[in-house]
Amino acid sequence: METSRRPDHQPADAASGGPAQAPAEPVLAGRTALVTGAASGIGRACAQVLAAAGAHVHVVDRAGEAAERLAKEIGGTPWVVDLSEPAVVDTLPADVDVVVNNAGIQHVAPVHEFPPDRFALIQRVMVETPFRVLRRTLPGMYERSWGRVVNISSVHGLRASPYKSAYVTAKHALEGLSKVVALEAAEHGVTSNCVCPGYVRTPLVENQIADQARTHGISEEEVVGRVMLERSAVKRLIEPADVAEAVLWLCGPRTGHITGSSLSMDGGWTAN
């Protein structure tokens, strides 16, 4: 006589009454990731979560001690380079499965007072460098028929704010680059997306708070409440770990049809 078996042929879990769950293999086991601006803030959180998911992470940052310390902590490889020098991209590893373009800098000033050399620097770091990184790494992804590109954009890749002409320009350009890569890479099994957070609790934002306070002549507390979060329904800064979890999700096994997208994490800012 035949005995009754569960459809999945798994033993029942006595505590839950459901099937016992075997430990899941990390979703990025055997994969390699490259994260720029990885020594602090969002980049650091991304490097940590990708490593925890099984990836070997190349930690790219100009802050040498911090990059080396993080790489040791997560079992990654540090690359101490200044991404404002375009040629250094050619010294970075090309054979990676995941790229997180995160490195960024900020300067706050009205357009008529904005230093042209600072504007050009921001474009080099936040537009030209991602282009160069992808130009170098996409061929290997194409050969393996799998890859994930996640560009850390911003709500300022979707909306503008005064006094941030270089940053807003760069993030809008990064959005365009990401979409072009999405169209070109789709047939190769490679996705390209942007994550667009509002204000995240990072050293960059902390510096912005001080800059905005000087620009507007108000206190730093007023900058957070009246300037930064004025258009957000959720009145608190985003944590770097929250952005990193979104990045990891886009690199996971169920997101192959998500490409050319911009994932807003802005507390409702762009809903206005």
Side-chain angles (χ1 to χ4, degrees):
M1 185 176 79
E2 293 185 353
T3 58
S4 174
R5 290 177 63 99
R6 292 180 170 271
D8 54 11
H9 304 291
Q10 291 179 314
D13 184 314
S16 66
Q21 298 296 318
E25 184 179 32
V27 295
L28 294 178
R31 302 291 190 187
T32 303
L34 185 148
V35 182
T36 66
S40 66
I42 294 172
R44 176 182 173 84
C46 288
Q48 290 172 322
V49 76
L50 293 172
H56 180 89
V57 181
H58 295 286
V59 178
V60 181
D61 205 290
R62 66 180 180 178
E65 290 185 9
E68 290 168 0
R69 187 164 54 248
L70 175 61
K72 183 177 180 180
E73 171 191 319
I74 65 175
T77 303
W79 296 83
V80 182
V81 296
D82 185 349
L83 293 174
S84 68
E85 301 174 9
V88 305
V89 171
D90 292 335
T91 70
L92 299 177
D95 191 20
V96 298
D97 302 295
V98 174
V99 167
V100 180
N101 283 310
N102 167 72
I105 52 179
Q106 177 64 284
H107 186 86
V108 177
V111 171
H112 67 282
E113 296 177 0
F114 209 102
D117 58 343
R118 191 69 177 174
F119 188 97
L121 172 65
I122 290 173
Q123 307 315 306
R124 282 203 307 276
V125 172
M126 296 171 56
V127 183
E128 184 175 351
T129 289
F131 160 74
R132 287 178 175 269
V133 168
L134 294 176
R135 184 176 184 273
R136 182 168 172 78
T137 57
L138 282 172
M141 297 183 194
Y142 292 172
E143 288 178 7
R144 293 184 294 278
S145 299
W146 194 92
R148 295 290 183 266
V149 175
V150 184
N151 300 297
I152 305 301
S153 180
S154 165
V155 66
H156 284 117
L158 308 173
R159 298 289 188 272
S161 290
Y163 310 112
K164 297 183 178 180
S165 57
Y167 190 86
V168 170
T169 298
K171 290 301 188 183
H172 274 68
L174 184 63
E175 293 276 340
L177 174 64
S178 183
K179 289 176 172 59
V180 170
V181 171
L183 297 177
E184 294 182 1
E187 65 180 297
H188 302 287
V190 177
T191 65
S192 175
N193 294 287
C194 287
V195 175
C196 305
Y199 287 101
V200 183
R201 195 185 306 278
T202 66
L204 180 64
V205 166
E206 290 171 354
N207 290 336
Q208 285 185 55
I209 293 171
D211 287 342
Q212 291 269 13
R214 286 191 295 270
T215 299
H216 294 287
I218 59 178
S219 71
E220 293 187 5
E221 292 74 17
E222 288 177 298
V223 169
V224 174
R226 288 174 46 194
V227 179
M228 289 188 166
L229 301 181
E230 179 185 11
R231 287 171 284 185
S232 297
V234 180
K235 300 296 184 181
R236 62 178 182 273
L237 295 177
I238 303 163
E239 298 301 326
D242 296 339
V243 181
E245 289 294 337
V247 171
L248 177 61
W249 177 70
L250 287 171
C251 295
R254 299 289 183 266
T255 55
H257 281 80
I258 300 176
T259 195
S261 296
S262 300
L263 177 60
S264 295
M265 299 183 66
D266 59 12
W269 182 331
T270 52
N272 286 320

